[in-house]
Amino acid sequence: MTDFAGLNLAQPILRALSDEGYTTPTPIQEKSIPPLLEGRDLLGVAQTGTGKTASFALPILQSFAENSRKAVPNRPFVLILAPTRELVTQIAESLRTYGRQMPLRIQTVFGGTSMRNQIVAMQRGVHILVATPGRLMDLMKQRHVNLDSVDVFVLDEADRMLDMGFIGDVKRIAKVLPHERQTVLFSATMPKTVEGLANELLNDPVKVEVTPAATTVEKIEQRLLFVAKDDKRALLGELMNDPRIERVLIFTRTKHGADRVARHLHDNGVKSDAIHGNKAQNARQRALKGFRDGDIRALVATDIAARGIDVDGVTHVINFDLPNDAESYVHRIGRTARAGASGIAISFCAHDERGCLRDIEKCIRQPVPVFAGHPYHAADIANSAANDSGPDVRKNNGGGGGRNGQGRGGPSRGGPSGGGAKRGGGRSRRGSQGGNRGMAA
């Protein structure tokens, strides 16, 4: 199979795909769509940015093309659960895009917005319901949603669903679904908890996996910058002077941290906004639209809010704070290099984040290359990290950059965009980037 036409999809779907410029399935789509078209249950393991939404969206649309049905009030035929409002919105947008030539009603249900509008939409009748578990449970309790007609159930981002504490709601929802149904579960990682949930929900599933669990996308160039905690914002400002950082997603550990970073960037002339759970839904959607349309250069996000951010052309991901959960690192950097493109992931590491770094490198099974040629390189943190990991992982192969560019070999030249070499500022670690390449290059 070399194109979507080989999947025997209905013409309205093929025309919509062609209009979007999609002709060839991604590996996860090529492996998932045929068994789903046959009605099999499926367990999919795929990193973000691999095209997994279309993997289940296209077979769902094909089922309606083959069996046209009139929408019934409060009784959807397809239920898709996702952990965040952003991901729910993204999935619904994909379904509407691929199915725009089909007479389908697709409704989203999530918190942070008017329940009344969602109730009215359900009463009109819905073919496909895309929801977060919490708001769906609220509507079910009020008898505005009845799931006894669901014949396809999709659980997307199952690992994050469990991380966010939705496991109880998911099981309660699944319990009221018809026994005879098709069930699809997708997860970026496959911890034991997700395996257990899959065993409960799936019946003799086909298992597809396009990349080994916890390995990073190959086309992403990773860089690690050791920096004192108090110098992080100054370093970020230095980075943002590089025009090669055209569209960047910046991750912080906390909501307040995201707001502080966004304000700092704004005060320094960088068009930016923050997206996190404390933001109102319309503010989150406005920020995401501005980022997608190119009106915002930098979007600062927390891990949970970033689920569902599917924006083409993200040139860089910056981990302002390293994540506590090593597998979140994979999710974060996967926001660049989407759909086969290349991308760069830059991570800041302060002294108190060395443990997080160890966990990340164990998770991805490789050291992250160090870039020492920046004005705020903290050699003391780099040396501590080298001692943490042992001499075989981190080696000081040269002078290494000191803070503010003053390494043992003298000041750096060329600045953050890598205009010149750093005298004596050799690599502080095996595989690290020397000063002759810019941080953003």
Side-chain angles (χ1 to χ4, degrees):
M1 183 199 323
T2 58
D3 56 26
F4 282 109
L7 294 171
N8 295 318
L9 297 172
Q11 285 302 314
I13 302 173
L14 291 176
R15 285 195 296 268
L17 290 170
S18 179
D19 290 344
E20 294 297 311
Y22 299 137
T23 57
T24 306
T26 65
I28 190 67
Q29 292 164 3
E30 191 169 358
K31 291 181 178 181
S32 300
I33 293 175
L36 288 178
L37 290 174
E38 294 174 359
R40 295 287 303 275
D41 283 7
L42 185 136
L43 175 61
V45 182
Q47 297 172 353
T48 183
T50 56
K52 61 183 173 64
T53 300
S55 297
F56 60 80
L58 297 181
I60 287 170
L61 294 173
Q62 179 66 19
S63 70
F64 284 105
E66 294 176 354
N67 180 22
S68 179
R69 290 175 282 181
K70 183 178 179 180
V72 179
N74 302 322
R75 283 177 161 84
F77 300 115
V78 174
L79 173 64
I80 302 171
L81 291 183
T84 68
R85 292 174 275 186
E86 284 72 27
L87 186 54
V88 164
T89 302
Q90 175 65 40
I91 292 170
E93 288 176 354
S94 295
L95 284 163
R96 293 186 183 111
T97 296
Y98 305 142
R100 60 171 167 252
Q101 299 185 28
M102 303 172 65
L104 294 176
R105 293 181 183 175
I106 301 163
Q107 178 61 33
T108 58
V109 161
F110 47 73
T113 189
S114 170
M115 184 182 290
R116 179 61 190 166
N117 293 337
Q118 297 169 358
I119 292 171
V120 171
M122 293 304 303
Q123 289 172 344
R124 286 199 300 263
V126 170
H127 292 92
I128 302 172
L129 178 60
V130 191
T132 55
R135 175 55 64 89
L136 177 59
M137 287 292 296
D138 291 339
L139 293 177
M140 289 170 61
K141 290 174 183 176
Q142 298 178 31
R143 300 187 178 181
H144 294 300
V145 175
N146 189 315
L147 301 179
D148 62 4
S149 296
V150 169
D151 48 36
V152 179
F153 174 46
V154 179
L155 187 62
D156 195 19
E157 300 277 11
D159 52 347
R160 183 56 62 181
M161 197 90 72
L162 270 60
D163 289 344
M164 294 173 65
F166 288 137
I167 180 66
D169 284 346
V170 169
K171 289 184 176 181
R172 282 188 285 271
I173 291 167
K175 189 173 293 186
V176 301
L177 293 171
H179 181 71
E180 294 295 326
R181 67 175 191 268
Q182 182 180 31
T183 304
V184 182
L185 187 151
F186 270 100
S187 185
T189 59
M190 193 52 59
K192 296 295 184 183
T193 50
V194 175
E195 284 187 12
L197 182 63
N199 290 335
E200 289 184 38
L201 298 181
L202 303 175
N203 178 29
D204 187 27
V206 174
K207 183 174 182 179
V208 296
E209 185 172 354
V210 295
T211 39
T215 58
T216 48
V217 180
E218 293 179 357
K219 293 190 177 182
I220 300 173
E221 185 173 345
Q222 302 170 65
R223 297 179 187 177
L224 180 67
L225 281 62
F226 289 108
V227 56
K229 187 174 183 178
D230 291 342
D231 287 337
K232 281 188 174 185
R233 276 186 280 181
L235 175 56
L236 180 62
E238 186 82 20
L239 274 171
M240 295 305 295
N241 288 329
D242 194 320
R244 287 170 293 189
I245 300 182
E246 298 173 5
R247 182 177 294 171
V248 57
L249 186 57
I250 301 170
F251 284 96
T252 62
R253 193 174 294 132
T254 67
K255 302 167 188 175
H256 296 302
D259 286 333
R260 284 194 297 269
V261 170
R263 283 197 300 268
H264 172 75
L265 291 173
H266 184 269
D267 291 344
N268 284 273
V270 178
K271 291 184 178 180
S272 58
D273 207 338
I275 184 171
H276 53 69
N278 284 354
K279 290 262 188 174
Q281 177 63 17
N282 59 352
R284 291 164 69 154
Q285 290 301 112
R286 185 168 59 248
L288 189 54
K289 184 179 186 301
F291 188 56
R292 183 178 287 117
D293 293 345
D295 299 328
I296 293 173
R297 183 182 172 205
L299 185 64
V300 190
T302 55
D303 286 305
I304 291 176
R307 288 297 178 107
I309 296 179
D310 187 1
V311 178
D312 293 334
V314 175
T315 59
H316 294 71
V317 166
I318 296 177
N319 290 310
F320 187 87
D321 299 315
L322 290 180
N324 291 321
D325 174 17
E327 289 181 345
S328 291
Y329 177 83
V330 178
H331 296 303
R332 289 181 176 191
I333 72 171
R335 300 297 162 180
T336 187
R338 299 180 81 84
S342 59
I344 294 174
I346 299 171
S347 299
F348 296 173
C349 182
H351 191 274
D352 61 355
E353 295 175 300
R354 291 174 301 146
C356 298
L357 175 61
R358 287 196 303 272
D359 292 342
I360 288 168
E361 293 182 325
K362 182 178 179 181
C363 177
I364 65 175
R365 305 171 191 141
Q366 65 184 49
V368 182
V370 170
F371 182 88
H374 65 86
Y376 298 93
H377 176 68
D380 55 336
I381 301 174
N383 292 335
S384 296
N387 292 332
D388 290 341
S389 297
D392 291 336
V393 176
R394 292 186 177 87
K395 296 179 181 179
N396 192 333
N397 294 325
R403 281 190 59 188
N404 300 318
Q406 300 297 322
R408 282 179 287 175
S412 63
R413 294 180 177 180
S417 60
K422 179 182 178 67
R423 288 184 302 177
R427 296 178 294 177
S428 62
R429 182 177 171 199
R430 187 176 66 195
S432 64
Q433 305 294 329
N436 61 333
R437 297 186 63 189
M439 289 183 286

